[in-house]
Amino acid sequence: MWLKLLEKVLANSYKIHHHFYQLLELKRVHKSFWKKLLWSWVIFWIVICAWMFSFYNHHAIEKRKVTLASMCVERARMLQDQFNASMTHVQAISILISTFHHGKNPLAIDQRTFAKYTEKTAFERPLMSGVAYAIRVLHLEREKFERQQGWSIRKMNTVQQNPVHKDIHMPEKFEPSPVQEEYAPVILAQDTVAHMVSLDLLSGKEDCDNAIRARESGKGVLTTPFRLLKTNRLGVILTFAVYKRDLPADATPKDRVEATDGYLEGIFDIESLAENLFQQFAGKKTILVNLYDTTNRSQPISMYGSEVYVDKLEHVIALNFGDPLRNHEMRCRFKHKAPLSWLAITTTGSTLVITLLLGYIVFATMNHMAKVQEEYNRMVELKKKAEAADVAKSQFLSTVSHEIRTPMHGVLGILDILLDTDLDVTQQDHVRTAQASGKTLVSLLNEVLDQAKIESGKLDLESVPFDLRAIMDDVLSLFSGKSQENGVELAVYISHRVPDMLIGDPGRFRQIITNLMGNSIKFTEKGHIFVTVHLVEEVMETTDIEREASSRNTLSGFPVPDKRRSWAGFKNIGQDGRNCSLSPDRISVIVSVEDTGEGIPQEAQPRIFTPFVQVGSSISRKQAGTGIGLSISKCLVTLMDGELGFVSIPKVGSTFTFTASFTIGCSKQSKIIYPEFQCMRALVVDSRQVRAIVSKYHVQRLGIQVEVVPSLDHALSTNLRKLSSLSLSGLLAGRKILVVDDNYVNLKVAAGALKRYGADVVLAESGEKAISFLEPPHTFDACFMDIQMPAIDGFEATRRIREMEDNINDRIQNGDASIEACRNISNWHVPILAMTADVIQATQDECIRCGMDGYISKPFEGEHLYRELSRFFTSSPLMKCIENF
């Protein structure tokens, strides 16, 4: 996806630049416009970033609100559930007291029983600090009640004003309750509030109001928050009325008051109980919780929590504690201030920085493009002026060259006529000197004219058929006299893969070769000059010349630079040696001119192709020249879709290499063969292999069959071998030979070669068939096995055949198989010879390791075939003598 986006951007960038340049040319865009656009861009993105910051910050606040609400709801739910559980259990105790205390005679519940029961069931009331029961006593019954209980009814307000320790109970210090219509002294109390025994609940304002509301409503009621006895901590009291009998659902308040027998109170120490409850939460330190009695909305009463907070974010939840006349709320806040929204800061900050940088880059780019456009316009003007000057110069050179060539033509013509007259030796020498000077001047004029045509772009190439080998012969003969005078070997080698006829410009191709060889002739005083022509793809393969060449194994024996470095920088040659830009009917040839001359100094090599520049003053004095030939050659090579390069080592030599593309022409009907050389054979004896190959190339062009040997000893040995190999017929006659190859053409060729000597040939196109044919016992005398085949190759097939032979041999030796059934052969081993075009030593070694007996190189040669087969088949005494020799 990113690559496609990049491609679209790159595809549209040209259009953007084009429109921009049009705007620049029409002068519609000024610098002030870009500044205004930049400021607009900056202000726009500042507004966008401010909005982004507000958005992300608001999102963070909302998330914080949701978190606070979740934590607050969790705490409120637990507080509500535990309060409801406590309230339900207190109501159950009130029913218990009504049933077993007032409904039984004698009483079933006393203080000890009540205290023990409430202590054991305290877990059912998780939020209560204690439970107490007060009985209703009328004023007429007070004296009798006090005698029965053994203590006086005491006033509660006194205790509130003088709190005592929880473990101290001193009733004698309490003031008696004042005279009133009725009393509600505590007779049963949990141990935690045992100090309330004998206290009159109706003497306390909160307890009195609670008791009255409870007996009239028949429901549990709560007091306002107030300071509890003894602990002086903030709390509330839950009160239930205990009735003497069951009341109907529609009982009036008066009926409920008359049926009231007592009051059951549950004491809530809000501060301590809420603190213990909220300590259970993992995030107890994260938020602050406040409980309020909001019955009076204008003046809410704080029941729990601190009023000091630093975060204004608040979440409020209403609480229902069962008393419809009292309202309660839980308010939650975070303990600490909201942290900075790093997401908002980093996102908006990064966006702002990126947009500012982008704006700056665009602004700087536009300024730069404007400057580039101005420079471009200026350069266009300069280019036009330079081109006009070049055209004027070219026209001048062309005119001058033409005007000089005309009189020079007359001078050279008169000199030719003068040479035909009677002149003495001195006069002839003077005329020839003048003639040579005139030809040199004409050559100079031709080069100058070519250079002028190249610079003006008026040099066109012809496209006609020509024989490349004939051109090379002509150029070679042109320089042969000079090379013989200097004692320099001169040779040409053209690969057989180069077509006979090509279509191109033979004159310009000859000019390139002549320039390069002319330079070599000028600067080579010993050694050789060697020209090679190959197809470009051959340079990636191992050609005859490349295989035999080395720094010392050269045409003359003198060292030369590595010619591969001369084309190392070519761009049009791919890894497979092909020029991908050529059509199928065109080829690219590569030509190398190698010499053992003075070489080119390192400091002069970078300017070697510069027109009218010579490599150095010392060389200039030795050999005259204009320094324009290589420049022209490079231009001509470029016109031929080729490249020109070189490698040079001072005092060693130079190699110039160029490529050129041509269309493949129609081949000649028949090659020119000199009749006097037909049916002749030649033996070239040369210890220098490169020179031997070149000699073989030229002799073969005469129609002579050539063989190369490195020495006379080899020559004698080879000659004898040749003589004895017309005996292959006697060696192979009647022999049954298996030929294995997956290529049908190779099978036919091999079969034809062997049948020519009288062999009975059987063909197999795969390794599997070869294994089935050669399973002992069989009637084959030998096998020619191709190496590279699909599925089972030659190596694997040979291994399996040898395994079968070993198996049958072991069976014969152990008596498991009769020798008669195996054609009276006690030791099976059919000769297997590898057929390969690979002469690498590693391949030959692998042939021996897999069990092969030798190898025959493709294509078949009689000498090699006889040498290999004679090791296995019986031959005549003469052949044995030759082998021994």
Side-chain angles (χ1 to χ4, degrees), residues 555-574:
L555 186 67
S556 62
F558 285 85
V560 294
D562 185 0
K563 68 167 59 178
R564 289 173 297 184
R565 292 171 54 193
S566 64
W567 67 70
F570 288 1
K571 298 179 181 178
N572 292 336
I573 300 179

Side-chain angles (χ1 to χ4, degrees), residues 624-690:
T626 62
I628 198 175
L630 288 178
S631 175
I632 294 175
S633 298
K634 187 172 181 65
C635 294
L636 293 176
V637 166
T638 302
L639 292 175
M640 294 180 181
D641 297 327
E643 297 174 275
L644 174 61
F646 73 99
V647 59
S648 182
I649 301 177
K651 307 301 180 182
V652 175
S654 304
T655 299
F656 281 79
T657 300
F658 71 92
T659 59
S661 299
F662 301 102
T663 302
I664 301 175
C666 297
S667 301
K668 297 179 181 179
Q669 294 298 324
S670 61
K671 292 186 179 181
I672 299 176
I673 300 177
Y674 296 94
E676 58 269 25
F677 296 119
Q678 288 185 352
C679 301
M680 293 184 63
R681 301 182 63 189
L683 182 65
V684 176
V685 182
D686 198 328
S687 60
R688 199 166 293 134
Q689 294 177 324
V690 173

